[in-house]
């Protein structure tokens, strides 16, 4: 749920080359996961990796936005129960090559954020006093 | 007390906005179901049903007090949610490392 990840990476490569690595299924297989991706808005695709505890090893995605060679947005769902999250790739030309910004944002419901940020000790104290009362 | 819960039960429980609101109300302290129901436009039965889902996920506990039933929050299963975000952090780090290698190897 409370997912808000941002990564910034600079590459000494031209933007076209980095873009190609984001939209070529063989390239995606090399750095992300095996897939049936196609660079088309509305394309539903699946990423596969070996399942492990806590993960079914499958991610259901949809291409939401595609603006070559600078922006691509996917919806991303790792479990049926999860609300879909959003993965954004942003590419910018910089003097030394290309800057990639990768953003993965989930549902940031204020109630959940509050519950998670209040910290555990307070809640555990509340539980303890409840159990002994 | 309820048994340790699976992540899918916890995610299912918190996927619903009414249930998240119930958790928010309970974070202020123990409350009778009647008082909780007063905060919602949905029926009393529907509120009870949502509380049941939260209880099955181990997120709330209840106890009788006279004719009332009091509910309180047990936030411990929410650790799973936290672990989930940590898993993604490591996941993307690994992916970006491989992307860098891929770009460097395919000049």
């Amino acid at each position: 749920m409370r997912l808000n990840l941002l990564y910034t990476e600079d590459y000494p490569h031209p933007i076209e080359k980095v873009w190609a690595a984001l939209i070529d299924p063989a390239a995606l297989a090399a750095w992300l996961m095996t897939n049936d991706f196609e660079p088309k808005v509305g394309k539903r695709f699946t990423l596969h990796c070996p399942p492990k505890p806590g993960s079914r090893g499958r991610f259901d995605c949809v291409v939401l936005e595609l603006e070559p060679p600078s922006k691509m947005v996917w919806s991303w769902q790792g479990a049926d129960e999860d609300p879909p999250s959003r993965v954004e790739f942003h590419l910018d030309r910089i003097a030394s090559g290309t800057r990639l910004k990768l953003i993965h944002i989930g549902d940031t419901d204020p109630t959940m954020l509050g519950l998670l940020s209040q910290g555990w000790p307070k809640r555990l104290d509340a539980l303890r006093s409840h159990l002994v009362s | 007390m309820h048994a340790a819960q699976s992540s899918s039960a916890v995610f299912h429980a918190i996927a619903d906005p009414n249930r998240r609101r119930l958790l928010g109300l309970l974070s202020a302290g123990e409350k009778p179901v009647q008082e909780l129901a007063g905060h919602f436009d949905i029926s009393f039965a529907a509120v009870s049903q949502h509380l049941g889902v939260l209880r099955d996920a181990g997120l709330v506990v209840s106890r009788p007090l006279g004719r009332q039933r009091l509910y309180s929050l047990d936030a411990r299963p929410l650790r799973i949610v936290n672990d989930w975000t940590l898993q993604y952090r490591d996941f993307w780090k690994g992916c970006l490392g491989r992307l860098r290698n891929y770009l460097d190897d395919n000049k």
Side-chain angles (χ1 to χ4, degrees), chain A residues 27-94:
Chain A
L28 286 170
W31 70 267
L32 187 59
M33 279 179 243
T34 57
N35 64 88
D36 57 351
F37 174 84
E38 284 175 44
K40 277 194 298 200
V41 172
K43 167 70 182 173
R44 292 178 178 279
F45 63 102
T46 308
L47 301 168
H48 285 279
C49 64
K52 55 178 185 183
S55 167
R56 66 181 178 184
R58 192 184 90 230
F59 301 88
D60 296 321
C61 302
V62 185
V63 180
L64 299 178
E65 294 177 43
L66 196 68
E67 293 170 27
S70 56
K71 186 182 179 189
M72 177 162 63
V73 182
W74 297 346
S75 93
W76 174 287
Q77 197 166 23
D80 293 332
E81 302 82 12
D82 292 358
S85 52
R86 182 179 167 93
V87 175
E88 300 182 7
F89 302 92
H90 298 266
L91 294 185
D92 282 303
R93 286 187 180 89
I94 55 173

Side-chain angles (χ1 to χ4, degrees), chain B residues 5-100:
Chain B
Q5 297 303 319
S6 68
S7 60
S8 64
V10 174
F11 280 110
H12 172 68
I14 62 177
D16 180 89
N18 282 323
R19 290 199 285 271
R20 289 200 292 271
R21 205 161 144 228
L22 280 168
L23 292 175
L25 291 166
L26 290 172
S27 70
E30 193 180 37
K31 287 187 172 49
V33 61
Q34 288 84 352
E35 185 186 329
L36 290 168
H39 290 271
F40 292 86
D41 293 331
I42 55 177
S43 70
F44 184 88
V47 171
S48 288
Q49 209 166 5
H50 283 311
L51 285 167
V53 174
L54 292 171
R55 198 181 49 221
D56 290 344
L59 285 162
V60 304
V61 289
S62 68
R63 67 183 176 107
L65 183 73
R67 282 195 206 162
Q68 299 198 100
R69 183 152 282 277
L70 297 176
Y71 281 85
S72 59
L73 176 70
D74 180 356
R76 286 175 297 178
L78 291 176
R79 278 179 204 273
I80 293 168
V81 181
N82 230 11
D83 291 347
W84 180 70
T85 66
L86 289 176
Q87 275 176 24
Y88 267 118
R89 200 170 303 169
D90 292 342
F91 165 77
W92 284 118
K93 258 186 211 151
C95 290
L96 288 168
R98 289 194 298 277
L99 174 58
R100 185 173 292 280

Side-chain angles (χ1 to χ4, degrees), chain A residues 28-29 96-97 102:
Chain A
L28 286 170
S96 61
L102 170 64

